[in-house]
Amino acid sequence: MPTCTVTLEEALGRVTAEDVLAPDDVPNFYRSTVDGYAVVAADTQGASESIPTFLTVVEEVAMGRPARETVCSGSCAYVPTGGMLPQGADAMVMVEYTENFHGDEVAVYQSVAQGAGVVVPGEEVRKGAVLIPKGTALNPAHVGALAAAGIWEITVYRPWRVAILSTGDELVHPAQPAGPAQVRDVNTWALAALTRACGLQIVLRRTLPDREELLEQALTQAKEQADLVLTSGGSSQGKADYTCRLMDRVCDRGVMTHGLSVKPGKPTILAFDGASQTLMIGLPGHPVAALMIYQALGVWLWKRLTGQREQKPRLAEMALNIPGAPGKTTFVWVKLQTDENGRQTAIPVLGKSGLMGTLVDADGYLVLDRNKEGLRKGEPVEIYRLGI
Amino acid sequence: MPTCTVTLEEALGRVTAEDVLAPDDVPNFYRSTVDGYAVVAADTQGASESIPTFLTVVEEVAMGRPARETVCSGSCAYVPTGGMLPQGADAMVMVEYTENFHGDEVAVYQSVAQGAGVVVPGEEVRKGAVLIPKGTALNPAHVGALAAAGIWEITVYRPWRVAILSTGDELVHPAQPAGPAQVRDVNTWALAALTRACGLQIVLRRTLPDREELLEQALTQAKEQADLVLTSGGSSQGKADYTCRLMDRVCDRGVMTHGLSVKPGKPTILAFDGASQTLMIGLPGHPVAALMIYQALGVWLWKRLTGQREQKPRLAEMALNIPGAPGKTTFVWVKLQTDENGRQTAIPVLGKSGLMGTLVDADGYLVLDRNKEGLRKGEPVEIYRLGI
């Protein structure tokens, strides 16, 4: 898997291609977490509201500046939140528990333990520790942790370049009127949106009529430009056959699979070209099936090859009985709803022929094992979402 | 809330600013879902493997082309998957259940019901129906449904323009070495990443030393350019005070709130400028608190004003007892883990002073009510994720 370097400015959603180690201790100094006085903790033993300890203020430490003086028994220094403790000090007393006399003497009304109000060097990040493991898709907290450690550039996997080829004499662009027998090209735009949602890059996007030589040209061009080529077309047998034949011709390793025991998605084709390291997926023509197979194979493989951990599914209970398809792994779209007992339930989103409109309300999908006859009401299920 | 128009190419993650209605029926013709013959269903009554019905083929319909002939009792037409049924036909027989003789006669070995293998006009999307309601953050399935309905441009809320101002004499850029008492600017980059993750736009990003006149200039500039201004700075009392004073001076409606009964996030400031319709949030200096308050106030308000539905939380059980902070709403970061009984449990991610490094492993956060003394092991909790 090829890698590239990005700065924290573009790091969101990228996947780390190596363990990111902390180059230094963070913080690299004794840092106060409160506004107050840096003291020798032992000096405050027994101090209380009625019996304060009196200390001499030797310094007022400024933010971002090293402390200059040393604190020893009987003395202290003012340090703001985030400021550096002077040498010798081992605890902070919050300003609320002190009273300042004539600027250079302070009464301390609280006893503090060693380390109170102090972050010690390396407490946030220890030098050499794995800050972010390889295979992490970076979120805002990760970006913050990298910034804290002083890591500005990181090595991430270069997102796959994806080509999307949709074929069909019946297809018209969504912006164009559809005449009788014509339908709008759905797959190009739904697959493009899922590609973007996964942080992958679209390099080629074509809608083609059903002419073999045009698809062959497009596959040949896509092979050179893309890491992943998605085709989708009518699910009629004739079309699936020639897509398969062309992929077999264009890819040096040929077609690996034609037909999967999944529902929906049976007519799926997988082919690989070794020279260009390009994977081709011939998706079913039905938009819902095409999205599902892209998710189950394309997105899954991207996550797998970049070492990303699996999605943590949502747990729910089936709201009603549903049948399985014996011998076929079945993908079922569901809507999540909390029932009157506070339990999360999964309601299947059913629709004839997997029409796109039915997916609008879905919260995710579940995978029904090929060996299960179905799912019973109340049975626990795991719900995954579209995307990474 | 101002709106703008985008095409399906840039629609992912945008929020619809009005109900999207279907302009036409989809499909707008009787569409086959199989490869086979369009028939009059009544003709196939009683047909079986042993007693076929014989029909005359009057047409072979091409994909994307209207059917020309009419099918009546005794006749049929070949239609590919996705093709248009001729007038008169009311069902499809799959090609697998037929046998073709001399091209113009076909034996049908199966009885089909009216409507079998056919999508009727308006079945996918009904003209005038609400396809996508107002306030929907568009996902790939929504994009597909819009394409299917022939909707290329949609009206969405213009993402908030966000200004991020981080202040502190101690701050250095993550790419720069940190001397003694200096720390890297974490908030700018973590807040920017969360801004991007929510689909909002960054228009200004500044790291400033602790000088009042510089912050005042920056606030004034930010007010003109941004819908939302995020400042963050040290949590020391002196700084919070002058940020509050400056926001009050720069905003015509002044400061609304200084100090929230939340943990973390107590020193939060809220101010509003009516003339420019700009909201300012003075975030705490601690990065974890700053992220949390941006999520709880800024992101929440954006979702609220754009009418987006609340995140569906993950449900889990507390893995151990945790104390609350009486009188304060407490945000607790947790890691999710499935226990040996298959139950999802929430393990608090604890870290002294909310260090950024501790968030790296968190899967989300829970909100502990101000009136609760704490949470007991096994108690059900709702887990939210950072972002929209």
Side-chain angles (χ1 to χ4, degrees), chain A residues 8 12 139-145 147, chain B residues 164 166 174 185-197 202 205 230 287-288 290-291 294 356 359 386:
Chain A
L8 291 193
L12 183 74
N139 66 24
H142 296 132
V143 171
Chain B
I164 301 172
S166 303
D185 175 9
V186 173
N187 284 344
T188 295
W189 307 103
L191 296 174
L194 183 52
T195 300
R196 283 187 56 199
I202 299 162
R205 203 172 47 200
L230 305 173
V288 173
L291 260 189
Y294 181 21
M356 207 67 206
L359 272 204
L386 212 56

PDB file of all heavy atoms in Angstrom, chain A residues 8 12 139-145 147, chain B residues 164 166 174 185-197 202 205 230 287-288 290-291 294 356 359 386:
ATOM      1  N   LEU A   8      -0.940  18.247   9.750  1.00  0.00           N
ATOM      2  CA  LEU A   8      -2.137  18.154  10.597  1.00  0.00           C
ATOM      3  C   LEU A   8      -3.333  18.883   9.981  1.00  0.00           C
ATOM      4  O   LEU A   8      -4.473  18.596  10.304  1.00  0.00           O
ATOM      5  CB  LEU A   8      -1.860  18.737  11.987  1.00  0.00           C
ATOM      6  CG  LEU A   8      -0.888  17.948  12.865  1.00  0.00           C
ATOM      7  CD1 LEU A   8      -0.960  18.461  14.296  1.00  0.00           C
ATOM      8  CD2 LEU A   8      -1.196  16.461  12.818  1.00  0.00           C
ATOM      9  N   LEU A  12      -7.259  14.928   9.079  1.00  0.00           N
ATOM     10  CA  LEU A  12      -8.542  14.350   9.485  1.00  0.00           C
ATOM     11  C   LEU A  12      -8.982  13.225   8.550  1.00  0.00           C
ATOM     12  O   LEU A  12      -9.035  13.401   7.334  1.00  0.00           O
ATOM     13  CB  LEU A  12      -9.625  15.440   9.497  1.00  0.00           C
ATOM     14  CG  LEU A  12     -11.002  14.976   9.982  1.00  0.00           C
ATOM     15  CD1 LEU A  12     -11.010  14.787  11.481  1.00  0.00           C
ATOM     16  CD2 LEU A  12     -12.081  15.964   9.566  1.00  0.00           C
ATOM     17  N   ASN A 139      -9.116  11.149  14.040  1.00  0.00           N
ATOM     18  CA  ASN A 139     -10.251  11.998  14.404  1.00  0.00           C
ATOM     19  C   ASN A 139      -9.713  13.287  15.051  1.00  0.00           C
ATOM     20  O   ASN A 139      -8.497  13.444  15.214  1.00  0.00           O
ATOM     21  CB  ASN A 139     -11.228  11.216  15.306  1.00  0.00           C
ATOM     22  CG  ASN A 139     -10.632  10.871  16.652  1.00  0.00           C
ATOM     23  OD1 ASN A 139      -9.702  11.540  17.130  1.00  0.00           O
ATOM     24  ND2 ASN A 139     -11.148   9.853  17.282  1.00  0.00           N
ATOM     25  N   PRO A 140     -10.598  14.224  15.409  1.00  0.00           N
ATOM     26  CA  PRO A 140     -10.110  15.482  15.974  1.00  0.00           C
ATOM     27  C   PRO A 140      -9.261  15.299  17.242  1.00  0.00           C
ATOM     28  O   PRO A 140      -8.302  16.055  17.452  1.00  0.00           O
ATOM     29  CB  PRO A 140     -11.404  16.253  16.279  1.00  0.00           C
ATOM     30  CG  PRO A 140     -12.379  15.760  15.260  1.00  0.00           C
ATOM     31  CD  PRO A 140     -12.061  14.294  15.115  1.00  0.00           C
ATOM     32  N   ALA A 141      -9.578  14.316  18.073  1.00  0.00           N
ATOM     33  CA  ALA A 141      -8.780  14.087  19.284  1.00  0.00           C
ATOM     34  C   ALA A 141      -7.374  13.600  18.917  1.00  0.00           C
ATOM     35  O   ALA A 141      -6.385  13.996  19.542  1.00  0.00           O
ATOM     36  CB  ALA A 141      -9.478  13.068  20.191  1.00  0.00           C
ATOM     37  N   HIS A 142      -7.275  12.737  17.894  1.00  0.00           N
ATOM     38  CA  HIS A 142      -5.955  12.288  17.448  1.00  0.00           C
ATOM     39  C   HIS A 142      -5.134  13.469  16.934  1.00  0.00           C
ATOM     40  O   HIS A 142      -3.940  13.583  17.213  1.00  0.00           O
ATOM     41  CB  HIS A 142      -6.084  11.265  16.325  1.00  0.00           C
ATOM     42  CG  HIS A 142      -6.767   9.990  16.728  1.00  0.00           C
ATOM     43  ND1 HIS A 142      -7.777   9.434  15.995  1.00  0.00           N
ATOM     44  CD2 HIS A 142      -6.588   9.165  17.789  1.00  0.00           C
ATOM     45  CE1 HIS A 142      -8.185   8.323  16.582  1.00  0.00           C
ATOM     46  NE2 HIS A 142      -7.486   8.130  17.680  1.00  0.00           N
ATOM     47  N   VAL A 143      -5.787  14.336  16.161  1.00  0.00           N
ATOM     48  CA  VAL A 143      -5.090  15.509  15.620  1.00  0.00           C
ATOM     49  C   VAL A 143      -4.568  16.358  16.779  1.00  0.00           C
ATOM     50  O   VAL A 143      -3.429  16.825  16.768  1.00  0.00           O
ATOM     51  CB  VAL A 143      -6.038  16.329  14.708  1.00  0.00           C
ATOM     52  CG1 VAL A 143      -5.407  17.662  14.331  1.00  0.00           C
ATOM     53  CG2 VAL A 143      -6.400  15.527  13.455  1.00  0.00           C
ATOM     54  N   GLY A 144      -5.384  16.515  17.813  1.00  0.00           N
ATOM     55  CA  GLY A 144      -4.955  17.271  18.985  1.00  0.00           C
ATOM     56  C   GLY A 144      -3.770  16.622  19.682  1.00  0.00           C
ATOM     57  O   GLY A 144      -2.821  17.302  20.074  1.00  0.00           O
ATOM     58  N   ALA A 145      -3.813  15.306  19.818  1.00  0.00           N
ATOM     59  CA  ALA A 145      -2.720  14.603  20.493  1.00  0.00           C
ATOM     60  C   ALA A 145      -1.419  14.727  19.698  1.00  0.00           C
ATOM     61  O   ALA A 145      -0.334  14.869  20.275  1.00  0.00           O
ATOM     62  CB  ALA A 145      -3.093  13.128  20.692  1.00  0.00           C
ATOM     63  N   ALA A 147      -0.661  17.242  17.680  1.00  0.00           N
ATOM     64  CA  ALA A 147      -0.206  18.624  17.862  1.00  0.00           C
ATOM     65  C   ALA A 147       0.505  18.770  19.202  1.00  0.00           C
ATOM     66  O   ALA A 147       1.585  19.362  19.287  1.00  0.00           O
ATOM     67  CB  ALA A 147      -1.390  19.591  17.768  1.00  0.00           C
TER      68      ALA A 147
ATOM     69  N   ILE B 164     -11.059  30.585  14.289  1.00  0.00           N
ATOM     70  CA  ILE B 164     -10.431  29.941  15.449  1.00  0.00           C
ATOM     71  C   ILE B 164      -9.260  30.796  15.906  1.00  0.00           C
ATOM     72  O   ILE B 164      -8.293  30.980  15.167  1.00  0.00           O
ATOM     73  CB  ILE B 164      -9.947  28.514  15.082  1.00  0.00           C
ATOM     74  CG1 ILE B 164     -11.136  27.669  14.608  1.00  0.00           C
ATOM     75  CG2 ILE B 164      -9.245  27.855  16.276  1.00  0.00           C
ATOM     76  CD1 ILE B 164     -10.747  26.315  14.043  1.00  0.00           C
ATOM     77  N   SER B 166      -6.531  31.180  18.902  1.00  0.00           N
ATOM     78  CA  SER B 166      -5.936  30.575  20.093  1.00  0.00           C
ATOM     79  C   SER B 166      -4.932  31.554  20.661  1.00  0.00           C
ATOM     80  O   SER B 166      -4.113  32.097  19.922  1.00  0.00           O
ATOM     81  CB  SER B 166      -5.247  29.260  19.737  1.00  0.00           C
ATOM     82  OG  SER B 166      -6.175  28.393  19.121  1.00  0.00           O
ATOM     83  N   PRO B 174       2.947  23.411  16.260  1.00  0.00           N
ATOM     84  CA  PRO B 174       3.359  22.016  16.444  1.00  0.00           C
ATOM     85  C   PRO B 174       4.646  21.661  15.692  1.00  0.00           C
ATOM     86  O   PRO B 174       5.375  20.755  16.113  1.00  0.00           O
ATOM     87  CB  PRO B 174       2.174  21.220  15.867  1.00  0.00           C
ATOM     88  CG  PRO B 174       0.997  22.109  15.975  1.00  0.00           C
ATOM     89  CD  PRO B 174       1.518  23.503  15.837  1.00  0.00           C
ATOM     90  N   ASP B 185       0.593  24.550  20.345  1.00  0.00           N
ATOM     91  CA  ASP B 185      -0.786  24.982  20.145  1.00  0.00           C
ATOM     92  C   ASP B 185      -1.595  23.762  19.698  1.00  0.00           C
ATOM     93  O   ASP B 185      -1.493  23.309  18.566  1.00  0.00           O
ATOM     94  CB  ASP B 185      -0.803  26.079  19.082  1.00  0.00           C
ATOM     95  CG  ASP B 185      -2.212  26.504  18.729  1.00  0.00           C
ATOM     96  OD1 ASP B 185      -3.163  26.074  19.411  1.00  0.00           O
ATOM     97  OD2 ASP B 185      -2.348  27.272  17.756  1.00  0.00           O
ATOM     98  N   VAL B 186      -2.375  23.233  20.598  1.00  0.00           N
ATOM     99  CA  VAL B 186      -3.195  22.052  20.320  1.00  0.00           C
ATOM    100  C   VAL B 186      -4.585  22.474  19.840  1.00  0.00           C
ATOM    101  O   VAL B 186      -5.125  21.927  18.882  1.00  0.00           O
ATOM    102  CB  VAL B 186      -3.334  21.177  21.593  1.00  0.00           C
ATOM    103  CG1 VAL B 186      -4.317  20.035  21.361  1.00  0.00           C
ATOM    104  CG2 VAL B 186      -1.982  20.653  22.030  1.00  0.00           C
ATOM    105  N   ASN B 187      -5.150  23.458  20.500  1.00  0.00           N
ATOM    106  CA  ASN B 187      -6.553  23.807  20.234  1.00  0.00           C
ATOM    107  C   ASN B 187      -6.812  24.208  18.789  1.00  0.00           C
ATOM    108  O   ASN B 187      -7.817  23.795  18.197  1.00  0.00           O
ATOM    109  CB  ASN B 187      -6.999  24.923  21.173  1.00  0.00           C
ATOM    110  CG  ASN B 187      -7.254  24.397  22.572  1.00  0.00           C
ATOM    111  OD1 ASN B 187      -7.374  23.195  22.761  1.00  0.00           O
ATOM    112  ND2 ASN B 187      -7.311  25.284  23.551  1.00  0.00           N
ATOM    113  N   THR B 188      -5.924  25.002  18.214  1.00  0.00           N
ATOM    114  CA  THR B 188      -6.159  25.437  16.836  1.00  0.00           C
ATOM    115  C   THR B 188      -6.406  24.234  15.934  1.00  0.00           C
ATOM    116  O   THR B 188      -7.342  24.209  15.137  1.00  0.00           O
ATOM    117  CB  THR B 188      -4.942  26.229  16.313  1.00  0.00           C
ATOM    118  OG1 THR B 188      -4.833  27.425  17.089  1.00  0.00           O
ATOM    119  CG2 THR B 188      -5.095  26.592  14.839  1.00  0.00           C
ATOM    120  N   TRP B 189      -5.592  23.189  16.083  1.00  0.00           N
ATOM    121  CA  TRP B 189      -5.644  22.072  15.138  1.00  0.00           C
ATOM    122  C   TRP B 189      -6.738  21.075  15.495  1.00  0.00           C
ATOM    123  O   TRP B 189      -7.397  20.526  14.607  1.00  0.00           O
ATOM    124  CB  TRP B 189      -4.256  21.446  15.015  1.00  0.00           C
ATOM    125  CG  TRP B 189      -3.276  22.527  14.695  1.00  0.00           C
ATOM    126  CD1 TRP B 189      -2.391  23.121  15.548  1.00  0.00           C
ATOM    127  CD2 TRP B 189      -3.201  23.261  13.465  1.00  0.00           C
ATOM    128  NE1 TRP B 189      -1.749  24.157  14.922  1.00  0.00           N
ATOM    129  CE2 TRP B 189      -2.216  24.267  13.643  1.00  0.00           C
ATOM    130  CE3 TRP B 189      -3.851  23.180  12.232  1.00  0.00           C
ATOM    131  CZ2 TRP B 189      -1.877  25.163  12.624  1.00  0.00           C
ATOM    132  CZ3 TRP B 189      -3.508  24.063  11.220  1.00  0.00           C
ATOM    133  CH2 TRP B 189      -2.534  25.039  11.426  1.00  0.00           C
ATOM    134  N   ALA B 190      -6.976  20.865  16.769  1.00  0.00           N
ATOM    135  CA  ALA B 190      -8.059  19.961  17.164  1.00  0.00           C
ATOM    136  C   ALA B 190      -9.412  20.594  16.834  1.00  0.00           C
ATOM    137  O   ALA B 190     -10.308  19.922  16.315  1.00  0.00           O
ATOM    138  CB  ALA B 190      -7.957  19.634  18.649  1.00  0.00           C
ATOM    139  N   LEU B 191      -9.548  21.889  17.105  1.00  0.00           N
ATOM    140  CA  LEU B 191     -10.818  22.566  16.801  1.00  0.00           C
ATOM    141  C   LEU B 191     -11.037  22.654  15.290  1.00  0.00           C
ATOM    142  O   LEU B 191     -12.162  22.508  14.804  1.00  0.00           O
ATOM    143  CB  LEU B 191     -10.852  23.970  17.424  1.00  0.00           C
ATOM    144  CG  LEU B 191     -10.814  24.024  18.958  1.00  0.00           C
ATOM    145  CD1 LEU B 191     -10.702  25.475  19.438  1.00  0.00           C
ATOM    146  CD2 LEU B 191     -12.047  23.362  19.565  1.00  0.00           C
ATOM    147  N   ALA B 192      -9.956  22.862  14.544  1.00  0.00           N
ATOM    148  CA  ALA B 192     -10.082  22.907  13.081  1.00  0.00           C
ATOM    149  C   ALA B 192     -10.537  21.550  12.554  1.00  0.00           C
ATOM    150  O   ALA B 192     -11.386  21.465  11.665  1.00  0.00           O
ATOM    151  CB  ALA B 192      -8.750  23.308  12.444  1.00  0.00           C
ATOM    152  N   ALA B 193      -9.996  20.477  13.114  1.00  0.00           N
ATOM    153  CA  ALA B 193     -10.377  19.141  12.654  1.00  0.00           C
ATOM    154  C   ALA B 193     -11.846  18.874  12.974  1.00  0.00           C
ATOM    155  O   ALA B 193     -12.581  18.325  12.142  1.00  0.00           O
ATOM    156  CB  ALA B 193      -9.474  18.079  13.300  1.00  0.00           C
ATOM    157  N   LEU B 194     -12.295  19.279  14.157  1.00  0.00           N
ATOM    158  CA  LEU B 194     -13.711  19.069  14.497  1.00  0.00           C
ATOM    159  C   LEU B 194     -14.618  19.925  13.600  1.00  0.00           C
ATOM    160  O   LEU B 194     -15.688  19.490  13.175  1.00  0.00           O
ATOM    161  CB  LEU B 194     -13.956  19.377  15.982  1.00  0.00           C
ATOM    162  CG  LEU B 194     -15.381  19.141  16.502  1.00  0.00           C
ATOM    163  CD1 LEU B 194     -15.897  17.749  16.169  1.00  0.00           C
ATOM    164  CD2 LEU B 194     -15.447  19.368  18.012  1.00  0.00           C
ATOM    165  N   THR B 195     -14.155  21.124  13.287  1.00  0.00           N
ATOM    166  CA  THR B 195     -14.904  21.999  12.370  1.00  0.00           C
ATOM    167  C   THR B 195     -15.080  21.313  11.018  1.00  0.00           C
ATOM    168  O   THR B 195     -16.173  21.263  10.459  1.00  0.00           O
ATOM    169  CB  THR B 195     -14.147  23.338  12.197  1.00  0.00           C
ATOM    170  OG1 THR B 195     -14.045  23.956  13.473  1.00  0.00           O
ATOM    171  CG2 THR B 195     -14.870  24.263  11.234  1.00  0.00           C
ATOM    172  N   ARG B 196     -13.980  20.769  10.505  1.00  0.00           N
ATOM    173  CA  ARG B 196     -14.051  20.082   9.206  1.00  0.00           C
ATOM    174  C   ARG B 196     -14.913  18.832   9.312  1.00  0.00           C
ATOM    175  O   ARG B 196     -15.699  18.530   8.408  1.00  0.00           O
ATOM    176  CB  ARG B 196     -12.647  19.692   8.731  1.00  0.00           C
ATOM    177  CG  ARG B 196     -11.849  20.864   8.170  1.00  0.00           C
ATOM    178  CD  ARG B 196     -10.537  20.384   7.571  1.00  0.00           C
ATOM    179  NE  ARG B 196     -10.740  19.362   6.553  1.00  0.00           N
ATOM    180  CZ  ARG B 196      -9.815  18.513   6.130  1.00  0.00           C
ATOM    181  NH1 ARG B 196      -8.597  18.565   6.647  1.00  0.00           N
ATOM    182  NH2 ARG B 196     -10.079  17.618   5.205  1.00  0.00           N
ATOM    183  N   ALA B 197     -14.790  18.100  10.404  1.00  0.00           N
ATOM    184  CA  ALA B 197     -15.569  16.863  10.569  1.00  0.00           C
ATOM    185  C   ALA B 197     -17.068  17.155  10.573  1.00  0.00           C
ATOM    186  O   ALA B 197     -17.864  16.287  10.233  1.00  0.00           O
ATOM    187  CB  ALA B 197     -15.156  16.152  11.858  1.00  0.00           C
ATOM    188  N   ILE B 202     -13.650  26.786   7.717  1.00  0.00           N
ATOM    189  CA  ILE B 202     -12.735  27.621   8.501  1.00  0.00           C
ATOM    190  C   ILE B 202     -12.354  28.838   7.664  1.00  0.00           C
ATOM    191  O   ILE B 202     -11.864  28.685   6.550  1.00  0.00           O
ATOM    192  CB  ILE B 202     -11.476  26.827   8.894  1.00  0.00           C
ATOM    193  CG1 ILE B 202     -11.878  25.635   9.751  1.00  0.00           C
ATOM    194  CG2 ILE B 202     -10.479  27.711   9.633  1.00  0.00           C
ATOM    195  CD1 ILE B 202     -10.828  24.563   9.846  1.00  0.00           C
ATOM    196  N   ARG B 205      -7.841  31.597  11.106  1.00  0.00           N
ATOM    197  CA  ARG B 205      -7.174  30.742  12.082  1.00  0.00           C
ATOM    198  C   ARG B 205      -5.931  31.480  12.550  1.00  0.00           C
ATOM    199  O   ARG B 205      -5.019  31.706  11.756  1.00  0.00           O
ATOM    200  CB  ARG B 205      -6.803  29.423  11.371  1.00  0.00           C
ATOM    201  CG  ARG B 205      -6.617  28.258  12.269  1.00  0.00           C
ATOM    202  CD  ARG B 205      -6.455  26.980  11.456  1.00  0.00           C
ATOM    203  NE  ARG B 205      -5.504  27.171  10.386  1.00  0.00           N
ATOM    204  CZ  ARG B 205      -5.420  26.408   9.309  1.00  0.00           C
ATOM    205  NH1 ARG B 205      -6.222  25.379   9.149  1.00  0.00           N
ATOM    206  NH2 ARG B 205      -4.537  26.647   8.375  1.00  0.00           N
ATOM    207  N   LEU B 230     -14.461  31.035  17.686  1.00  0.00           N
ATOM    208  CA  LEU B 230     -14.000  30.239  18.827  1.00  0.00           C
ATOM    209  C   LEU B 230     -12.700  30.831  19.318  1.00  0.00           C
ATOM    210  O   LEU B 230     -11.744  30.934  18.556  1.00  0.00           O
ATOM    211  CB  LEU B 230     -13.749  28.785  18.401  1.00  0.00           C
ATOM    212  CG  LEU B 230     -14.883  28.037  17.718  1.00  0.00           C
ATOM    213  CD1 LEU B 230     -14.394  26.677  17.206  1.00  0.00           C
ATOM    214  CD2 LEU B 230     -16.053  27.857  18.686  1.00  0.00           C
ATOM    215  N   PRO B 287      -7.267  21.579  26.174  1.00  0.00           N
ATOM    216  CA  PRO B 287      -7.745  21.070  24.885  1.00  0.00           C
ATOM    217  C   PRO B 287      -8.941  20.129  24.996  1.00  0.00           C
ATOM    218  O   PRO B 287      -9.875  20.231  24.213  1.00  0.00           O
ATOM    219  CB  PRO B 287      -6.520  20.341  24.327  1.00  0.00           C
ATOM    220  CG  PRO B 287      -5.360  21.042  24.944  1.00  0.00           C
ATOM    221  CD  PRO B 287      -5.812  21.432  26.316  1.00  0.00           C
ATOM    222  N   VAL B 288      -8.948  19.228  25.946  1.00  0.00           N
ATOM    223  CA  VAL B 288     -10.059  18.284  26.051  1.00  0.00           C
ATOM    224  C   VAL B 288     -11.357  19.025  26.377  1.00  0.00           C
ATOM    225  O   VAL B 288     -12.409  18.752  25.806  1.00  0.00           O
ATOM    226  CB  VAL B 288      -9.768  17.204  27.115  1.00  0.00           C
ATOM    227  CG1 VAL B 288     -10.995  16.334  27.325  1.00  0.00           C
ATOM    228  CG2 VAL B 288      -8.577  16.361  26.686  1.00  0.00           C
ATOM    229  N   ALA B 290     -11.906  22.200  25.720  1.00  0.00           N
ATOM    230  CA  ALA B 290     -12.237  23.060  24.583  1.00  0.00           C
ATOM    231  C   ALA B 290     -13.006  22.263  23.529  1.00  0.00           C
ATOM    232  O   ALA B 290     -14.038  22.705  23.016  1.00  0.00           O
ATOM    233  CB  ALA B 290     -10.956  23.658  23.989  1.00  0.00           C
ATOM    234  N   LEU B 291     -12.519  21.066  23.205  1.00  0.00           N
ATOM    235  CA  LEU B 291     -13.198  20.206  22.219  1.00  0.00           C
ATOM    236  C   LEU B 291     -14.609  19.877  22.698  1.00  0.00           C
ATOM    237  O   LEU B 291     -15.572  19.937  21.942  1.00  0.00           O
ATOM    238  CB  LEU B 291     -12.438  18.889  22.056  1.00  0.00           C
ATOM    239  CG  LEU B 291     -11.499  18.707  20.865  1.00  0.00           C
ATOM    240  CD1 LEU B 291     -11.033  17.260  20.809  1.00  0.00           C
ATOM    241  CD2 LEU B 291     -12.135  19.102  19.547  1.00  0.00           C
ATOM    242  N   TYR B 294     -16.963  22.905  22.543  1.00  0.00           N
ATOM    243  CA  TYR B 294     -17.289  23.199  21.139  1.00  0.00           C
ATOM    244  C   TYR B 294     -18.364  22.216  20.668  1.00  0.00           C
ATOM    245  O   TYR B 294     -19.354  22.595  20.026  1.00  0.00           O
ATOM    246  CB  TYR B 294     -16.024  23.079  20.291  1.00  0.00           C
ATOM    247  CG  TYR B 294     -16.192  23.375  18.813  1.00  0.00           C
ATOM    248  CD1 TYR B 294     -17.257  24.132  18.325  1.00  0.00           C
ATOM    249  CD2 TYR B 294     -15.250  22.930  17.892  1.00  0.00           C
ATOM    250  CE1 TYR B 294     -17.384  24.413  16.967  1.00  0.00           C
ATOM    251  CE2 TYR B 294     -15.365  23.203  16.541  1.00  0.00           C
ATOM    252  CZ  TYR B 294     -16.441  23.938  16.088  1.00  0.00           C
ATOM    253  OH  TYR B 294     -16.567  24.204  14.737  1.00  0.00           O
ATOM    254  N   MET B 356      -4.838  15.589  26.416  1.00  0.00           N
ATOM    255  CA  MET B 356      -5.279  15.182  25.093  1.00  0.00           C
ATOM    256  C   MET B 356      -4.945  13.728  24.814  1.00  0.00           C
ATOM    257  O   MET B 356      -5.711  13.019  24.157  1.00  0.00           O
ATOM    258  CB  MET B 356      -4.567  16.076  24.068  1.00  0.00           C
ATOM    259  CG  MET B 356      -5.322  16.230  22.802  1.00  0.00           C
ATOM    260  SD  MET B 356      -6.859  17.165  23.061  1.00  0.00           S
ATOM    261  CE  MET B 356      -7.801  16.530  21.724  1.00  0.00           C
ATOM    262  N   LEU B 359      -7.512  11.001  25.297  1.00  0.00           N
ATOM    263  CA  LEU B 359      -8.686  10.914  24.421  1.00  0.00           C
ATOM    264  C   LEU B 359      -8.473  10.018  23.214  1.00  0.00           C
ATOM    265  O   LEU B 359      -9.409   9.694  22.507  1.00  0.00           O
ATOM    266  CB  LEU B 359      -9.049  12.302  23.900  1.00  0.00           C
ATOM    267  CG  LEU B 359      -9.978  13.134  24.742  1.00  0.00           C
ATOM    268  CD1 LEU B 359     -10.665  14.148  23.872  1.00  0.00           C
ATOM    269  CD2 LEU B 359     -11.008  12.251  25.414  1.00  0.00           C
ATOM    270  N   LEU B 386     -17.960  12.410  19.041  1.00  0.00           N
ATOM    271  CA  LEU B 386     -17.543  13.750  18.650  1.00  0.00           C
ATOM    272  C   LEU B 386     -17.937  13.958  17.195  1.00  0.00           C
ATOM    273  O   LEU B 386     -17.737  13.074  16.368  1.00  0.00           O
ATOM    274  CB  LEU B 386     -16.020  13.834  18.798  1.00  0.00           C
ATOM    275  CG  LEU B 386     -15.389  15.152  19.176  1.00  0.00           C
ATOM    276  CD1 LEU B 386     -15.945  15.705  20.460  1.00  0.00           C
ATOM    277  CD2 LEU B 386     -13.882  14.977  19.311  1.00  0.00           C
TER     278      LEU B 386
END
